[in-house]
Amino acid sequence: MIEKPHRPNQAAEAAFSIQKHKIILTINEVEQEIKVDAWTTVLDLLREHLHLTGTKKGCDHGQCGACTVLMDGTRINSCLTLAVMHDGAEITTVEGLAKGEQLHPVQEAFIEQDAFQCGYCTPGQICSAIGLINEGKAKTPEDIRDLMSGNICRCGAYNNILKVVQEALERERS
Amino acid sequence: MRPFTFTKVRNSAVAVKEISEKEEAKFIAGGTNLLDLMKFDVMIPKNIIDITGIALNYIKNLEDGGLRLGALVTNSDTAYHKEVENRYPLLSHAILAGASPQLRNKATDAGNLLQRTRCYYFYDPATPCNKREPGSGCSAIHGYNRWHAIFGASEKCIATHPSDMCVALAALEAKVNVTGPNGERNIPFEDFHRLPGDHPEKDTNLSKDEIITSIDLPANGFAENFSYIKNRDRASYSFALVSIAVGLEMKGNKIKEARIVLGGVAHKPWRNKEAEAFLNNKEANRENFEAVADVIVREAKGYEYNKFKIELARRSVVRALMQAAKIEE
């Protein structure tokens, strides 16, 4: 016999929900003061509260990488971290990469190399690729495959994604 | 995710006080495993204590020649740290064999030690699981147990510990420094994680009101002769079916000291000191390595779907020893 997991009653939930937390985030270079519930993930904050729906929810468990954003320049899964823990942080999402009409070089390369089909994983792939370039650890195609393995593409555009990252790394070096 | 209260603490003493006083409380740092489990209703803490504001994000040299890893250093920062790469490449390799870059960028060193099993029955609240719900039974023993333990399991639980990092830390004989209501203590790595026995709900010997502050690596990092091999279903971003960490101290072709620890095969990193001792003062060659591998797998017990792990473990031991000894065939 398995006991049902504890579920706080409605009154308790109401008591919890009034304790909103005030945080300041710089999202795509815009500083914002935001009130959040403690249990709101960065992903849900972006999509549901700020309507920045470029960042995708795939698995919501850190397995697919569709929710990858840059947190203070570092790529993370936004589904597995609480917004309340990031007071003062700078977040860059796919919406923040272009400068006006000028796409980020990695975005350009995704188009040039035809590195997507359905496009659902693409925002995460792009943020992850930029994170990988910032980290500076990938040297060989094998390294790139390994260090991009946190981003799943069910259409199987991997070969062209690999080309994008390879080219971007070569551009960085030259 | 279900509602919870959220508190941020700035030092270990306050963290210990908070967790002692609060009911069903959990610390959060990287959160990559805890939030995952909370979304599945596997863990339902009522109170979350954010410890990321504590000054435990450092790596520093110790007077005895060792290295101290602060509890809050991320797995990425640890694996790519110059001292770790140069002096403890076994640890660096093991960390980089685990998870994905995004997860390693968030996951902390102490959190890596405290991650829960990835047994799919543990993760599914609709099924009985003694680790999740003590006394409810084990679904894996007679279920689909391909990922499960071949060493040290009990009738209550055959789950495995999923970490790669911990396999290397066991091989290096790290120590875990913790703080609790009664002050500080350090736990030798082999005593940190537990075998399931009658209490599979307890993964470790850390008390509920204790916090990990750092992990100490001894001076000897086996940097000259080491190997970490991870066998899994795909080449990257998958948990180990069988992994192995080997460190050798050699003089010429003779072995002075050997460390052999297996991952993905037991409720904790699996080390067999008797087998290690067998290699003392022996020649590094395939014959001796095969003999050691036989000693290690002698006590293995397979279940319906994971018997293949026994032969996989045996071959992994031989290959890792050959790699560590730099013997090419």
Side-chain angles (χ1 to χ4, degrees):
Chain A
M1 179 68 193
I2 310 169
E3 275 181 40
K4 280 249 160 66
H6 158 82
R7 179 163 182 110
N9 62 30
Q10 282 185 340
E13 284 194 19
F16 278 122
S17 63
I18 51 171
Q19 303 172 349
K20 291 228 184 209
H21 299 260
K22 194 163 71 180
I23 54 170
I24 293 174
L25 289 175
T26 303
I27 299 168
N28 299 331
E29 299 184 348
V30 179
E31 192 181 284
Q32 310 188 39
E33 192 181 291
I34 304 162
K35 282 187 178 170
V36 287
D37 289 319
W39 49 92
T40 303
T41 62
V42 169
L43 176 61
D44 286 343
L45 174 74
L46 292 170
R47 289 183 57 85
E48 307 297 330
H49 299 249
L50 304 174
H51 307 296
L52 290 167
T53 52
T55 306
K56 301 298 186 235
K57 183 179 277 195
C59 66
D60 208 23
H61 286 276
Q63 297 177 5
C64 76
C67 69
T68 304
V69 298
L70 298 165
M71 179 75 73
D72 297 322
T74 301
R75 54 177 165 160
I76 63 159
N77 295 310
S78 63
C79 73
L80 284 187
T81 195
L82 300 173
V84 70
M85 294 175 71
H86 293 282
D87 189 20
E90 281 184 32
I91 300 173
T92 306
T93 70
V94 72
E95 289 96 337
L97 297 175
K99 301 282 174 236
E101 291 297 300
Q102 184 60 49
L103 292 180
H104 187 283
V106 172
Q107 288 176 304
E108 293 269 15
F110 262 77
I111 296 168
E112 277 165 28
Q113 295 294 342
D114 193 17
F116 55 91
Q117 288 173 47
C118 84
Y120 196 81
C121 72
T122 312
Q125 298 277 5
I126 290 173
C127 288
S128 190
I130 295 169
L132 176 151
I133 295 161
N134 292 346
E135 287 158 14
K137 299 296 175 187
K139 307 288 180 219
T140 65
E142 290 71 34
D143 292 344
I144 298 170
R145 283 181 188 279
D146 184 47
L147 294 173
M148 284 297 289
S149 66
N151 293 81
I152 309 286
C153 169
R154 289 289 85 141
C155 301
Y158 294 113
N159 287 337
N160 292 355
I161 295 169
L162 175 69
K163 279 187 210 161
V164 167
V165 182
Q166 256 178 310
E167 275 192 11
L169 285 173
E170 278 161 23
R171 212 178 306 126
E172 285 281 309
R173 279 183 212 122
S174 63
Chain B
M1 232 180 317
R2 292 166 196 270
F4 50 81
T5 73
F6 181 86
T7 320
K8 198 169 173 75
V9 297
R10 300 282 171 191
N11 65 63
S12 304
V14 178
V16 168
K17 187 170 174 289
E18 285 282 328
I19 203 138
S20 309
E21 290 171 357
K22 286 190 168 140
E23 186 195 357
E24 293 178 48
K26 278 279 164 200
F27 292 134
I28 193 166
T32 52
N33 190 212
L34 179 62
L35 296 175
D36 175 32
L37 290 162
M38 286 168 66
K39 289 181 188 190
F40 280 127
D41 272 354
V42 176
M43 292 174 78
I44 311 176
K46 288 183 183 168
N47 300 287
I48 292 282
I49 302 160
D50 177 1
I51 57 169
T52 55
I54 306 177
L56 296 173
N57 186 2
Y58 65 85
I59 293 181
K60 70 175 186 189
N61 286 307
L62 293 171
E63 276 177 17
D64 66 0
L67 194 69
R68 177 164 291 175
L69 311 174
L72 292 171
V73 185
T74 65
N75 289 178
S76 293
D77 286 348
T78 307
Y80 292 129
H81 192 275
K82 277 277 161 291
E83 295 289 323
V84 178
E85 281 182 330
N86 294 336
R87 291 161 57 196
Y88 305 95
L90 172 60
L91 179 62
S92 183
H93 282 230
I95 293 173
L96 294 175
S100 70
Q102 289 98 315
L103 290 168
R104 295 194 295 263
N105 283 344
K106 260 283 162 210
T108 63
D109 287 350
N112 192 305
L113 270 57
L114 297 175
Q115 65 179 304
R116 312 296 310 269
T117 183
R118 291 328 194 269
C119 170
Y120 17 77
Y121 298 105
F122 172 72
Y123 257 79
D124 179 1
T127 63
C129 167
N130 287 323
K131 185 181 278 299
R132 177 170 27 77
E133 201 70 44
S136 62
C138 173
S139 301
I141 286 185
H142 300 293
Y144 186 60
N145 42 37
R146 183 168 177 270
W147 271 17
H148 292 77
I150 54 170
F151 293 110
S154 76
E155 287 174 7
K156 298 272 173 71
C157 180
I158 60 170
T160 56
H161 194 262
S163 171
D164 291 291
M165 181 183 186
C166 291
V167 182
L169 290 174
L172 293 168
E173 293 189 348
K175 281 195 173 125
V176 186
N177 298 313
V178 309
T179 297
N182 303 319
E184 297 173 10
R185 64 176 180 130
N186 66 64
I187 308 171
F189 208 81
E190 64 180 319
D191 299 330
F192 187 80
H193 294 100
R194 298 163 48 96
L195 289 178
D198 287 334
H199 291 285
E201 72 279 9
K202 285 185 184 168
D203 294 349
T204 72
N205 286 316
L206 191 71
S207 299
K208 275 182 183 163
D209 49 9
E210 285 180 318
I211 184 170
I212 299 174
T213 53
S214 61
I215 301 158
D216 285 354
L217 306 176
N220 188 357
F222 296 89
E224 197 53 45
N225 294 96
F226 73 95
S227 172
Y228 190 77
I229 296 175
K230 184 175 183 181
N231 298 297
R232 45 187 157 171
D233 285 329
R234 55 186 183 206
S236 183
Y237 200 15
S238 184
F239 289 100
L241 292 164
V242 173
S243 68
I244 177 160
V246 162
L248 297 176
E249 196 59 42
M250 296 181 67
K251 196 169 184 186
N253 198 43
K254 267 218 171 115
I255 293 165
K256 308 308 288 178
E257 190 182 357
R259 303 273 173 85
I260 308 168
V261 183
L262 289 153
V265 294
H267 202 256
K268 61 188 282 189
W270 188 256
R271 185 173 172 194
N272 182 326
K273 289 187 180 173
E274 181 200 345
E276 289 176 357
F278 171 88
L279 282 177
N280 287 351
N281 297 312
K282 291 229 168 51
E283 285 290 317
N285 60 39
R286 176 173 276 276
E287 193 188 348
N288 284 330
F289 296 159
E290 297 264 3
V292 169
D294 288 340
V295 171
I296 290 173
V297 299
R298 201 185 295 148
E299 52 183 335
K301 177 181 185 296
Y303 297 85
E304 189 172 359
Y305 296 99
N306 74 350
K307 291 194 180 78
F308 73 96
K309 281 191 174 187
I310 299 172
E311 178 62 11
L312 186 57
R314 195 188 68 76
R315 292 184 192 200
S316 300
V317 170
V318 176
R319 175 170 290 196
L321 283 163
M322 296 286 278
Q323 277 187 4
K326 300 175 183 172
I327 300 173
E328 284 176 28
E329 281 186 326

